Amino acid sequence: MSETPLLRVENLKFKYQNTGGKGSDREVLHGLSFTVERGEYVAMLGHNGSGKSTLAKLCMMILDPTEGHIFVDGVDIADPELTDAQVLAVRKKVGMVFQNPDNQMVATMAEEEVAFGPENLGIPSAEIRQRVDEALKAVGMSEYAKKEPSRLSGGQKQRIAIAGILAMHPDCIFFDESTSMLDPQGRKDVMEIIDRLNREDGVTIIHITHDMNEAARAKRVMVLHEGNFVMDGTPEEVFAQPEKLDACRLTVPQCTQVMYRLKALGFEIGDRVTTPEDCAEAIRSLLGSGEVRHG
Amino acid sequence: MKSISLGRYYAADSVIHRLDPRGKIVLTILFIVSTFLAKNVISFALLILFVAALSLLSRVPLSLILRSLRGVTVVIIFAALINLFLTNIDQATFLVEFGEWNGRMYGITVEGLIRSGCMVLRIICLIIGTTLLLTYTMTPIELTDGISNLLHPLMKIHIPVDLFAMMMSIALRFIPTLSEDAERIMNAQKSRGTNFSDGGLIRKARALIPILIPLFVSSFKRGEELAVAMECRCYHSGDDRTRMEVLKWHVRDTLFFLLLIALGAGIVLINIFFAWIPYFTVL
């Protein structure tokens, strides 16, 4: 029995209709095809205007594709004859955390904010309460349940937003540059939650970002450039081609660069070095092995 | 943080916070009526006692309660002055006489003092009481719930009460965000040399344009993003929405209700039975 992939995109094209009257419609996606299996942790990289946010909006049915198909758990969401109930069923499976935490908050209390999604799904009150408590615990915000989101830091707001999605029990969560407006600590907290959701709860993660260090934490990196996927592979495979990334106006993470330079100088370094911690570890072991002399 | 207290919920766990929002909305209306019924020094004492009890029970800090008055300072001063100088009672006891004009004596009278004092107390009680009941102890979602619950029968005649309720709660939720936006824009414009304080009324009004336009643009942008986020979280109008907190009417709600009815009745009775006491009846 073969399992249906969670997300299957076939020859997806999208044009922004030019309403100004001048110029022609701008095509931002030129026929994308890819699949994301259940439990994957994918980072979608691309510089500004590469079409990555458009892709997420298409998957959330905020925009309709000009051409092509998107299958979420076997259901074609590009089908214009989808019933409202089917639309809700798809949106329940796929959640999305946005860039600006302020603009996605509906309620003035953290727990009511988290409850908003389940309330829309028509879940019984007692179960909502249980889901909200669980979701807040999962993002480490239980003690802030009664706080106003506007009094929380950016990172904390974003964690509440994640809890709001988690409470809907989605199979897959899109993060649309969810860390880009946060301070370093907020970023770190949110990234740890994203990693943990995938590792421990098996939630499929699609992290849209232009931060290479964050992308390096995923298990699969897809690089979007001018509306086409130009690279798709493990972070090691992708980051091993810095020239190709350069052409997409992306810069390889500093630690990876250091590792490649060291390798070029003839040092023995494993391929699985993508995070600064790994990098420090690798250098430490190099120093310890006596291959490098101090001074 | 802001001087606008509207829409600022004060998170705490108190009896007042736990009261049923439907009850609190009706209570607020009763309370407003009571403040206007008070026409007598004793009934004002009762009113003040009630507001003081409410403040203590709500556990909202005094500084925050007083801040809710900041917005109405001008109204209070105006009401006080008008009542002080223009109280028109025959055989008034004058403390200071200013002089006669059109056959009438003008000056500061005992009656005027009492009346303006009572007016000030009435406005203060009114503002503190309503902000405590409606904003500090009730989240916009609760307020929305309360109102939509009270108005639910209107759904029968196809008035989309739930949509209005959602719009209202979002408007309330965005007040702090937008006032922060306004401040940020104002600072940005000031740093570029816009002058907001000099010039006449028209010039000052014109100076607001560089604030209002960016504020409009940013609120539209926020609104659009919020709409998308809400849609992604399966928001739709209709009867199949459930709530985490289902409103429940408790014994304490009935008690508070009775208390307010007692307050209103007490004020009316005092007005009737103590009307003969000199200086006691105000209006």
Side-chain angles (χ1 to χ4, degrees):
Chain A
M1 200 182 83
S2 71
E3 213 183 328
T4 17
L6 189 66
L7 182 68
R8 186 154 61 89
V9 172
E10 273 177 15
N11 189 34
L12 181 68
K13 288 187 183 174
F14 183 76
K15 263 184 204 152
Y16 275 108
Q17 229 87 62
N18 194 320
T19 46
K22 254 193 294 180
S24 55
D25 296 347
R26 193 164 54 92
E27 191 173 80
V28 269
L29 300 176
H30 319 288
L32 299 180
S33 295
F34 66 97
T35 48
V36 174
E37 302 290 341
R38 251 164 226 290
E40 272 200 273
Y41 183 172
V42 183
M44 285 195 186
L45 270 172
H47 67 86
N48 295 334
S50 59
K52 51 196 195 319
S53 289
T54 308
L55 179 62
K57 280 186 182 151
L58 285 164
C59 293
M60 293 303 299
M61 287 179 288
I62 302 299
L63 299 171
D64 292 322
T66 318
E67 222 184 296
H69 299 278
I70 304 170
F71 296 93
V72 173
D73 211 7
V75 179
D76 185 0
I77 63 169
D79 185 353
E81 276 156 33
L82 223 55
T83 61
D84 286 353
Q86 280 176 303
V87 170
L88 286 186
V90 169
R91 287 203 177 127
K92 185 192 162 294
K93 274 183 201 138
V94 185
M96 179 141 141
V97 178
F98 293 84
Q99 183 176 22
N100 188 335
D102 278 319
N103 295 356
Q104 47 184 318
M105 301 260 163
V106 190
T108 42
M109 201 199 272
E111 61 172 18
E112 281 177 348
E113 176 62 36
V114 178
F116 181 73
E119 285 176 347
N120 291 335
L121 295 175
I123 287 159
S125 306
E127 201 193 327
I128 298 182
R129 165 54 60 192
Q130 192 194 335
R131 283 184 176 205
V132 167
D133 291 345
E134 278 170 15
L136 282 171
K137 203 172 154 223
V139 297
M141 292 290 289
S142 296
E143 57 194 298
Y144 297 94
K146 303 272 180 200
K147 286 270 188 299
E148 296 166 61
S150 58
R151 287 190 193 275
L152 301 176
S153 74
Q156 288 171 327
K157 280 184 213 172
Q158 208 59 298
R159 277 149 76 188
I160 294 292
I162 295 174
I165 301 297
L166 283 182
M168 296 172 77
H169 291 180
D171 295 335
C172 172
I173 306 179
F174 273 92
F175 289 88
D176 188 2
E177 307 209 18
S178 308
T179 54
S180 62
M181 288 177 78
L182 308 181
D183 57 280
Q185 184 59 43
R187 246 168 220 245
K188 194 170 156 275
D189 293 343
V190 168
M191 282 312 295
E192 270 165 18
I193 291 168
I194 296 177
D195 289 355
R196 186 162 41 86
L197 284 176
N198 178 260
R199 198 176 56 237
E200 288 171 16
D201 306 322
V203 180
T204 312
I205 305 284
I206 299 176
H207 186 194
I208 294 163
T209 178
H210 52 224
D211 185 308
M212 304 285 267
N213 284 315
E214 286 178 2
R217 299 167 80 134
K219 300 204 183 84
R220 174 179 171 194
V221 176
M222 298 169 84
V223 181
L224 198 57
H225 183 58
E226 311 284 351
N228 286 309
F229 278 119
V230 288
M231 293 165 100
D232 183 356
T234 63
E236 292 77 17
E237 285 164 9
V238 170
F239 296 141
Q241 298 158 278
E243 300 81 15
K244 216 168 162 186
L245 282 168
D246 253 2
C248 307
R249 285 189 268 159
L250 290 164
T251 331
V252 178
Q254 238 170 5
C255 59
T256 316
Q257 268 183 2
V258 171
M259 289 298 109
Y260 283 112
R261 294 248 174 93
L262 285 174
K263 242 187 238 176
L265 290 171
F267 293 105
E268 291 275 325
I269 293 163
D271 275 336
R272 295 203 56 86
V273 180
T274 38
T275 61
E277 289 77 21
D278 286 350
C279 179
E281 189 51 49
I283 294 173
R284 195 177 304 132
S285 70
L286 274 182
L287 291 169
S289 71
E291 218 181 308
V292 193
R293 253 171 296 140
H294 293 269
Chain B
M1 216 195 296
K2 293 265 101 63
S3 55
I4 307 163
S5 65
L6 185 73
R8 273 279 180 201
Y9 172 72
Y10 179 80
D13 193 24
S14 77
V15 195
I16 310 292
H17 283 80
R18 271 175 278 149
L19 284 181
D20 189 296
R22 288 169 297 182
K24 268 194 272 191
I25 293 163
V26 179
L27 283 181
T28 310
I29 298 167
L30 276 176
F31 175 75
I32 293 172
V33 173
S34 305
T35 51
F36 281 99
L37 282 176
K39 288 179 178 173
N40 184 299
V41 178
I42 298 178
S43 42
F44 272 107
L46 214 63
L47 210 59
I48 292 166
L49 200 73
F50 177 79
V51 171
L54 200 65
S55 315
L56 281 177
L57 284 175
S58 69
R59 295 200 193 155
V60 178
L62 191 67
S63 59
L64 212 61
I65 293 175
L66 293 178
R67 201 175 300 168
S68 64
L69 292 174
R70 210 187 280 167
V72 288
T73 333
V74 179
V75 178
I76 292 176
I77 293 169
F78 187 71
L81 291 178
I82 289 282
N83 281 289
L84 185 58
F85 295 118
L86 298 177
T87 298
N88 194 354
I89 295 172
D90 295 332
Q91 295 150 358
T93 322
F94 278 90
L95 295 172
V96 183
E97 290 184 4
F98 290 158
E100 242 183 68
W101 190 64
N102 268 2
R104 248 183 56 73
M105 185 60 97
Y106 285 89
I108 296 174
T109 61
V110 178
E111 288 81 359
L113 269 177
I114 292 176
R115 189 182 275 197
S116 93
C118 286
M119 194 44 111
V120 169
L121 283 178
R122 173 178 292 162
I123 298 173
I124 291 175
C125 287
L126 189 75
I127 299 293
I128 293 181
T130 47
T131 44
L132 271 181
L133 282 170
L134 285 184
T135 52
Y136 281 142
T137 65
M138 208 189 320
T139 64
I141 294 264
E142 281 174 334
L143 182 70
T144 307
D145 265 9
I147 292 176
S148 65
N149 252 285
L150 288 171
L151 297 181
H152 200 76
L154 291 179
M155 292 276 268
K156 290 255 187 317
I157 52 168
H158 299 291
I159 295 175
V161 176
D162 56 335
L163 291 185
F164 285 121
M166 182 50 76
M167 279 192 256
M168 205 177 71
S169 92
I170 289 172
L172 285 168
R173 136 83 182 85
F174 270 91
I175 287 174
T177 312
L178 291 183
S179 71
E180 273 159 34
D181 266 3
E183 199 167 271
R184 199 168 24 239
I185 294 165
M186 218 153 144
N187 286 338
Q189 302 288 30
K190 267 186 202 158
S191 73
R192 288 172 205 170
T194 315
N195 190 342
F196 293 117
S197 47
D198 288 349
L201 197 64
I202 293 175
R203 242 184 106 164
K204 273 187 192 164
R206 281 176 69 108
L208 284 179
I209 294 173
I211 300 172
L212 288 180
I213 290 174
L215 194 61
F216 248 81
V217 173
S218 97
S219 49
F220 273 114
K221 208 176 147 232
R222 282 185 190 281
E224 201 179 330
E225 270 182 43
L226 183 75
V228 169
M230 282 171 74
E231 233 181 287
C232 285
R233 285 163 78 187
C234 298
Y235 179 72
H236 56 285
S237 70
D239 272 345
D240 53 343
R241 261 195 114 222
T242 47
R243 307 308 315 254
M244 175 170 67
E245 306 283 1
V246 179
L247 298 178
K248 273 201 210 99
W249 193 263
H250 293 274
V251 181
R252 56 170 180 263
D253 295 306
T254 317
L255 285 178
F256 249 87
F257 221 85
L258 292 177
L259 189 73
L260 240 138
I261 290 177
L263 176 80
I267 286 173
V268 171
L269 289 178
I270 289 165
N271 282 345
I272 296 169
F273 289 107
F274 291 88
W276 52 272
I277 304 177
Y279 303 134
F280 267 30
T281 306
V282 174
L283 275 175

